[in-house]
Amino acid sequence: MSNMWQSIDEKYQIADGYKWLSTGNDQKVPWKTVVWNRYNVPKHVFIMWLIHHQRLLTMDRLQKMGICEDGLCFLCDQFPESHQHLFEDCPYIVACFSILFRWLGIINSGLKTGEALLADRRQPLLIRLLKCAVVVALFYHVWMARNACRLELYVPRPDCLIQRVREEVKLRVNMSYVGCMPHHLQEWCKSRQLY
Ligand SMILES: [Zn+2]
């Protein structure tokens, strides 16, 4: 499968691009399982892939392109906006993570990346994958919140954002099984309002 979306001569089709992203690339990178996780909501996957490649148009990148001068983060208005800031250091995502940790029962605050959650083998793989999908959903919604703030001067409260994350992941995981969810996963989902 070629990456026709990079060619100006061939007709691009979304299905081909998605297949190229999911099969022809990222074979050896540690975050491959995080991005191509069965519980991920499809619209979250592409944003997560861009985050891992640091390709979102954050203010630091726009400044380098000469498109803007003020590079402050829209969500906190305190620090320069970059991938690292938005998805690790920003007080907004820190507040979101705090709510998310309480919801998922995560005590170790170091487990805030999909890779770290997957590597923590104290829980079954399916539960780790589901937690991973929650983090991927969080990153997607933080980027959406950032865009809403930039374009509409509106920022959802962190608890409202986490509620959206919960609703989307709940829908996805329940659609994945349609009545035949493994018992241990079902029990865990019930305890986290995901079932
Ligand atoms: Zn910020």
Side-chain angles (χ1 to χ4, degrees), residues 121-185:
R121 295 176 181 270
R122 288 172 295 177
Q123 285 192 306
L125 178 62
L126 293 184
I127 292 176
R128 284 183 274 144
L129 285 171
L130 193 45
K131 285 181 175 178
C132 238
V134 171
V135 171
V136 170
L138 171 66
F139 283 12
Y140 170 87
H141 280 287
V142 165
W143 180 245
M144 291 300 114
R146 175 267 191 200
N147 290 338
C149 187
R150 183 183 184 193
L151 301 173
E152 303 165 28
L153 305 179
Y154 162 76
V155 186
R157 290 201 327 253
D159 59 319
C160 296
L161 185 139
I162 295 297
Q163 184 59 29
R164 280 185 213 162
V165 166
R166 188 200 310 263
E167 287 165 5
E168 290 190 353
V169 175
K170 179 179 179 179
L171 187 63
R172 174 69 178 176
V173 70
N174 284 282
M175 281 175 61
S176 300
Y177 287 104
V178 195
C180 56
M181 188 183 290
H183 182 70
H184 73 282
L185 185 63

Side-chain angles (χ1 to χ4, degrees), residues 56 58-59 73-75 80-90 92-94 139 142-143 146:
L56 293 175
T58 46
M59 296 307 287
C73 170
F74 292 99
L75 294 173
E81 186 191 83
S82 64
H83 282 74
Q84 161 133 10
H85 173 75
L86 264 181
F87 301 109
E88 287 188 44
D89 305 328
C90 181
Y92 186 83
I93 199 166
V94 169
F139 283 12
V142 165
W143 180 245
R146 175 267 191 200

Side-chain angles (χ1 to χ4, degrees), residues 51-118:
I51 291 170
H52 277 298
H53 283 279
Q54 308 233 342
R55 296 306 296 268
L56 293 175
L57 288 177
T58 46
M59 296 307 287
D60 60 330
R61 293 191 68 218
L62 292 174
Q63 273 187 312
K64 283 180 188 162
M65 295 174 191
I67 293 174
C68 65
E69 293 182 358
D70 180 6
L72 280 185
C73 170
F74 292 99
L75 294 173
C76 67
D77 201 29
Q78 295 178 52
F79 304 101
E81 186 191 83
S82 64
H83 282 74
Q84 161 133 10
H85 173 75
L86 264 181
F87 301 109
E88 287 188 44
D89 305 328
C90 181
Y92 186 83
I93 199 166
V94 169
C96 291
F97 264 121
S98 173
I99 298 167
L100 187 144
F101 283 169
R102 278 201 302 277
W103 163 35
L104 296 183
I106 296 173
I107 297 169
N108 181 354
S109 62
L111 299 175
K112 63 183 182 182
T113 65
E115 293 92 319
L117 285 168
L118 273 181

